[in-house]
């Protein structure tokens, strides 16, 4: 799958994602709605939660499932990196929803982070990409590239962030972590929310607007249906860290 017309020299938005981050997935759905409505070009770039937290003692700071989940994200990004290098950025744009929908838009318990091969092969096949690319899940040859893109994102925002990171009208435009949303805006709300977010983020001197209480996103895998409201949890430092 290649698209030589997919020009990303001057994208409208750069979006850094980890395919196992539920909040990045929610935000990406909203951004794709805005993208379609306004004919934006979006460049989908990589940020690894596992590499971002490489200095953290997972056992001391995170719930028990985090290290396994973040490691799965890094493995998936290895495949994404090979896809981009061999088939171009348009293939990444298609593959992200093909992968993450199998992680989040499925009944609870359907996704297993230690068994990624079926997820990757199914997503690659759905995007008309060679399923043999799934062999790169454990191939560390692209880790330096993924680390460089992670560092690139953090250089734009500072280090106390997670995913997603957006950069609007790069290279001069504003970059920021989030927005973190738990409910998917309607088509009518999508553009209005976008204008509010960009307007605030691009105001000179603006630094932060934050609350650590978050609802679980409207994602089936988390037990929240599309019209449901998830339980609120207190996230600090961009995660449910719980130093012991």
């Amino acid at each position: 799958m290649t698209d030589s017309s997919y020009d990303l020299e001057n994208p409208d938005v750069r979006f850094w994602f980890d395919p196992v981050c539920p909040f990045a997935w929610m935000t990406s759905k909203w951004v794709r709605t805005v993208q379609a409505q306004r004919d934006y070009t979006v460049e989908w770039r990589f940020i690894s939660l596992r590499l971002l937290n490489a200095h953290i003692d997972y056992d001391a700071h995170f719930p028990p499932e985090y290290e396994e989940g973040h490691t799965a994200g890094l493995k998936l990004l290895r495949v994404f990196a090979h896809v981009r290098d061999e088939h171009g950025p348009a293939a990444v744009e298609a593959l992200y929803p093909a992968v993450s929908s199998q992680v989040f838009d499925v009944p609870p318990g359907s996704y297993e982070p230690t068994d990624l091969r079926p997820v990757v092969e199914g997503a690659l096949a759905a995007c008309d990409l060679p399923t043999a690319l799934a062999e790169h899940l454990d191939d560390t040859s692209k880790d330096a590239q993924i680390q460089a893109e992670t560092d690139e994102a953090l250089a734009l925002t500072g280090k106390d962030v997670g995913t997603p990171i957006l950069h609007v009208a790069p290279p001069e435009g504003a970059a920021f972590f989030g927005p973190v949303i738990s409910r998917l805006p309607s088509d009518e709300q999508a553009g209005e929310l976008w204008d509010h977010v960009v307007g605030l983020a691009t105001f000179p001197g603006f630094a932060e607007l934050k609350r650590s209480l978050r609802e679980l996103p409207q994602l089936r895998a988390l037990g929240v249906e599309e019209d449901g409201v998830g339980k609120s949890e207190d996230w600090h430092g961009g995660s449910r860290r719980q130093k012991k």
Side-chain angles (χ1 to χ4, degrees):
M1 177 179 178
T2 58
D3 185 352
S4 59
S5 67
Y6 197 88
D7 180 11
L8 290 176
E9 285 190 12
N10 298 291
D12 297 294
V13 182
R14 288 195 173 113
F15 189 116
W16 280 264
F17 72 94
D18 187 311
V20 301
C21 176
F23 293 104
W25 178 232
M26 285 294 295
T27 302
S28 77
K29 290 184 175 186
W30 162 60
V31 167
R32 285 177 189 267
T33 299
V34 177
Q35 178 184 13
Q37 291 176 347
R38 303 193 177 183
D39 197 26
Y40 283 168
T41 300
V42 179
E43 181 183 6
W44 303 89
R45 297 182 67 78
F46 311 143
I47 179 169
S48 166
L49 290 168
R50 188 64 186 86
L51 296 179
L52 190 151
N53 291 293
H55 63 292
I56 297 293
D57 180 345
Y58 271 79
D59 289 338
H61 288 80
F62 289 116
E65 70 275 10
Y66 265 53
E67 183 169 18
E68 185 177 79
H70 288 179
T71 299
L74 175 57
K75 290 183 175 183
L76 291 168
L77 285 174
R78 291 168 179 164
V79 176
F80 276 99
H82 280 276
V83 165
R84 184 174 62 192
D85 287 352
E86 297 175 26
H87 299 275
V92 171
E93 181 172 39
L95 188 61
Y96 179 20
V99 168
S100 291
S101 63
Q102 294 185 73
V103 176
F104 297 115
D105 298 339
V106 293
S110 300
Y111 162 71
E112 177 49 64
T114 59
D115 187 20
L116 297 173
R117 192 84 179 215
V119 171
V120 173
E121 289 182 343
L124 290 166
C127 296
D128 295 323
L129 293 164
T131 57
L133 285 163
E135 296 173 1
H136 294 296
L137 284 164
D138 296 307
D139 173 8
T140 61
S141 65
K142 298 294 185 183
D143 285 14
Q145 181 186 124
I146 298 167
Q147 180 71 69
E149 291 194 21
T150 298
D151 293 343
E152 177 188 32
L154 298 182
L156 292 168
T157 61
K159 295 182 179 179
D160 188 23
V161 296
T163 57
I165 289 174
L166 274 68
H167 193 180
V168 179
E172 292 84 9
F176 49 89
F177 162 53
V180 176
I181 57 174
S182 294
R183 307 183 195 184
L184 189 63
S186 67
D187 289 349
E188 293 74 19
Q189 295 170 324
E192 181 180 8
L193 178 59
W194 178 263
D195 290 338
H196 288 320
V197 169
V198 172
L200 183 61
T202 56
F203 182 80
F206 173 74
E208 183 176 32
L209 178 69
K210 183 176 181 179
R211 63 179 171 212
S212 60
L213 288 176
R214 302 185 188 177
E215 298 171 356
L216 276 176
Q218 291 173 328
L219 298 171
R220 290 184 67 200
L222 302 182
V224 185
E225 296 299 328
E226 290 184 1
D227 58 350
V229 177
K231 176 184 176 183
S232 289
E233 298 177 315
D234 195 353
W235 289 56
H236 46 102
S239 69
R240 289 183 291 133
R241 290 185 182 176
Q242 48 182 15
K243 186 173 181 179
K244 298 175 182 176

